[in-house]
Amino acid sequence: MQKHAFLVTYSYSSDPQAPLRALKPPRIGGRESLPPPLNIPQPNSANVIQVPIDHFGHKTSATFSNRYWLNATYYKSGGPVFLFDSGEQNAEPLVPYYIQEYHGLSAVMRLAKRYNGLALLWEHRFYGESLPFPVNGNTTSEQWQFLNTEQALEDIVFFANSFAQSELSADGPISSDPLQKFAVHPSKTPWIMLGGSYPGIRSALMRIRNPSVIFASWASSAPVQAQVDMSSYYKAAERSMTRNCSADWVAVTKYVDDTLSGSNETAVMNMKFELLKAHLSGPGGNTTGANGLTMAKANSTSNVNAASVLMDPLNFYQYYGFKDSILPFCNILESQNRTAEPVEGGVVAQFGIDIGFKSFLTAISEVDYAAIPGDPDDPVQDRSWMWQYCSEYGFYQRGDPNNPLSIETSFLSLELFQQQCDETFPKGLPSSPQVQNVNKYGGWKMNPSNVMFSNGEFDPWRTMGLASIESNAPNRKPSVSVPACNTPASSPSSFFGITYDNMVHVSDMRVLITPDANHSDFKTVGFYSPVSQEPFFTGLGLFQLAMDEWLPCFGR
């Protein structure tokens, strides 16, 4: 479901005939993968627990090695457990940032320090090295069946219940196995789960599903309403734009869609050529990157590949928001590459669609999003997450031709997303994602006790969260009034939580304090906000107030 702000949902090769990358929605877990940290102490070594591949149907009695990490620096006997869920990614690169607090602070470690707790980082099955089976093009449909919401949630239950219930005898040998060394069984110790994005979903579901295991949760940017049609994703981005930039983006998108779906073959070929040329070109009128582009190559490019060039400026919106990722593009668009004064109604309204289209393409070239460096995708997490959204979550971020403010090409259709799923997994998938497997826990209407929900105002994933303002959502309002322990919200129209003004995705799980080479460009964001430090301290403070209210009632 993401990726970090560097998330390039659609990618292109310098060869215009190269196929469009699988149309996976941006991972909602935080980022594709943090780069290996530079010049820092050796990360804490991983611990391993043997987990059943199948918790329920007993189709196999086999187990697999699931990784986890811990930090007991602040732990005192009787203290709670704070479990940070890494979600749909390799968890190891997160260790220095969340368990060791390299160059910043993390919510899980701040809570562990305040409450004398044990901090844990959990790796999700089918990601990193926690693999029941090898993940590649040869993974069978029978093997993929063990990657689903219920099996992955039950892993947490199994893990928590594997810890000792009582302290080892002082006279006996001290065990090096954390499961025996730390007497933090959930029947004796409160377990608090934290997660952002997909892990935020899991944190909320675990409190509903297994309240005797997870005592409380912090669900950040959690799209708890699974839905096949997620045309709302780019509505959040459009709402954050200046009105002139939005007007031009909407007009250009419609112009491109109408032209490419028309019958004028010459116009279609010319438009594809201009779109691809803009994508391949660079600042200052540098077109050398497009030297190999010919009319024939452009004409052989699919409509969706060509039209998706218009979405280049949205590649980094999810974490950076309008000001830091799209505004530079809009400034060039609206000033016609700094040759004219911007006008309130936009370039198209003032000068016509031809000049608006040309200015749009110039802005793509000048900002040159395609040239921003970054690490390649992790093929394991890409394939595993694709299975998850194709089988259960949906979140197909399609363009909606019926939306008068659509900034996403309508060639990105529900049918195309489903086609990509079916082609990648020809066996074992349902005909459509089984969103009821997730929504049975309440979706937009869930009302768990002891859970705090936090969101960014312009987070695309807020549209599927409790704070959604979409027309088909219940439009519930967050309340910062801490509810009593084990007490759901008193009104179905509200929930306990906070929405951060002007913020986007997962801005409160970690804060970067000392900039470093690991955070030098768009593609190296973790579960923290590169835009503002305030949400971290605000969210942490509110959750601590909740912990002060809730922890004393554990076991009552």
Side-chain angles (χ1 to χ4, degrees), residues 138-146 387 425-429:
N138 297 320
T139 308
T140 67
S141 58
E142 290 77 17
Q143 293 169 335
W144 281 123
Q145 300 305 315
F146 296 107
W387 171 267
F425 306 104
K427 293 182 179 180
L429 273 185

Side-chain angles (χ1 to χ4, degrees), residues 213-294:
V213 174
I214 298 301
F215 174 70
S217 294
W218 179 354
S220 174
S221 295
V224 295
Q225 176 76 15
Q227 190 167 289
V228 176
D229 184 347
M230 197 185 173
S231 58
S232 61
Y233 183 88
Y234 290 104
K235 288 182 180 179
E238 187 281 325
R239 284 192 285 259
S240 72
M241 291 179 182
T242 56
R243 291 303 84 194
N244 54 358
C245 191
S246 168
D248 284 330
W249 206 314
V250 169
V252 169
T253 298
K254 187 176 188 307
Y255 173 61
V256 168
D257 281 2
D258 289 347
T259 301
L260 294 183
S261 59
S263 58
N264 187 329
E265 296 179 0
T266 300
V268 169
M269 180 170 61
N270 288 337
M271 178 166 282
K272 288 181 177 180
F273 182 86
E274 292 301 322
L275 286 163
L276 293 169
K277 180 181 177 181
H279 174 80
L280 298 169
S281 297
N286 184 352
T287 61
T288 56
N291 284 345
L293 179 64
T294 64

Side-chain angles (χ1 to χ4, degrees), residues 237-238 240-253 313-314 322 326-335 342-348 360 363 369 405-407:
E238 187 281 325
S240 72
M241 291 179 182
T242 56
R243 291 303 84 194
N244 54 358
C245 191
S246 168
D248 284 330
W249 206 314
V250 169
V252 169
T253 298
L314 295 167
F322 173 72
I326 302 178
L327 182 57
F329 167 85
C330 289
N331 284 340
I332 296 175
L333 165 61
E334 296 307 318
S335 67
V343 293
E344 185 176 354
V347 177
V348 173
F360 197 103
Y369 292 92
L405 295 177
S406 178
I407 58 173

Side-chain angles (χ1 to χ4, degrees), residues 55 100 166 169 328 374 390 399 401 458:
H55 292 286
Q100 294 177 304
S166 57
S169 170
C390 289
F458 294 120

Side-chain angles (χ1 to χ4, degrees), residues 149-433:
T149 297
E150 292 302 320
Q151 296 282 4
L153 292 177
E154 192 65 19
D155 288 342
I156 299 290
V157 177
F158 181 87
F159 175 54
N161 286 329
S162 296
F163 279 86
Q165 294 194 38
S166 57
E167 300 279 355
L168 294 173
S169 170
D171 299 329
I174 299 176
S175 174
S176 60
D177 181 1
L179 299 175
Q180 300 302 316
K181 182 178 180 180
F182 297 101
V184 292
H185 191 276
S187 65
K188 307 292 184 180
T189 302
W191 277 58
I192 295 90
M193 188 167 175
L194 297 82
S197 220
Y198 169 56
I201 299 175
R202 284 164 49 80
S203 297
L205 298 192
M206 279 298 300
R207 173 58 186 165
I208 297 170
R209 182 182 186 271
N210 299 98
S212 63
V213 174
I214 298 301
F215 174 70
S217 294
W218 179 354
S220 174
S221 295
V224 295
Q225 176 76 15
Q227 190 167 289
V228 176
D229 184 347
M230 197 185 173
S231 58
S232 61
Y233 183 88
Y234 290 104
K235 288 182 180 179
E238 187 281 325
R239 284 192 285 259
S240 72
M241 291 179 182
T242 56
R243 291 303 84 194
N244 54 358
C245 191
S246 168
D248 284 330
W249 206 314
V250 169
V252 169
T253 298
K254 187 176 188 307
Y255 173 61
V256 168
D257 281 2
D258 289 347
T259 301
L260 294 183
S261 59
S263 58
N264 187 329
E265 296 179 0
T266 300
V268 169
M269 180 170 61
N270 288 337
M271 178 166 282
K272 288 181 177 180
F273 182 86
E274 292 301 322
L275 286 163
L276 293 169
K277 180 181 177 181
H279 174 80
L280 298 169
S281 297
N286 184 352
T287 61
T288 56
N291 284 345
L293 179 64
T294 64
M295 283 291 185
K297 286 183 177 180
N299 197 41
S300 66
T301 302
S302 68
N303 287 339
V304 65
N305 267 17
S308 293
V309 169
L310 299 179
M311 301 177 68
D312 278 4
L314 295 167
N315 287 345
F316 309 100
Y317 176 81
Q318 180 168 299
Y319 281 84
Y320 283 85
F322 173 72
K323 180 180 177 181
D324 288 78
S325 68
I326 302 178
L327 182 57
F329 167 85
C330 289
N331 284 340
I332 296 175
L333 165 61
E334 296 307 318
S335 67
Q336 299 179 60
N337 201 16
R338 302 182 177 88
T339 64
E341 286 296 318
V343 293
E344 185 176 354
V347 177
V348 173
Q350 185 78 8
F351 302 104
I353 190 62
D354 289 339
I355 292 178
F357 179 56
K358 180 180 178 180
S359 186
F360 197 103
L361 296 185
T362 298
I364 287 178
S365 299
E366 289 298 313
V367 179
D368 202 10
Y369 292 92
I372 294 174
D375 299 324
D377 292 352
D378 180 332
V380 170
Q381 68 190 29
D382 285 353
R383 188 172 290 272
S384 291
W385 176 244
M386 191 173 187
W387 171 267
Q388 288 195 260
Y389 77 73
C390 289
S391 62
E392 289 188 311
Y393 286 87
F395 297 134
Y396 294 172
Q397 293 156 14
R398 61 132 180 163
D400 183 3
N402 296 318
N403 174 15
L405 295 177
S406 178
I407 58 173
E408 179 184 13
T409 173
S410 60
F411 288 112
L412 290 168
S413 64
L414 292 177
E415 292 75 18
L416 183 58
F417 276 99
Q418 190 60 53
Q419 176 187 336
Q420 290 278 340
C421 287
D422 294 339
E423 289 175 352
T424 303
F425 306 104
K427 293 182 179 180
L429 273 185
S431 58
S432 182

Side-chain angles (χ1 to χ4, degrees), residues 51-64 125-126 132-133 142-143 145-148 150-152 154-155 158:
V51 176
I53 292 176
D54 183 8
H55 292 286
F56 310 112
H58 307 297
K59 295 178 181 178
T60 174
S61 59
T63 62
F64 70 99
R125 63 166 56 201
F126 281 83
F133 310 98
E142 290 77 17
Q143 293 169 335
Q145 300 305 315
F146 296 107
L147 175 55
N148 60 53
E150 292 302 320
Q151 296 282 4
E154 192 65 19
D155 288 342
F158 181 87

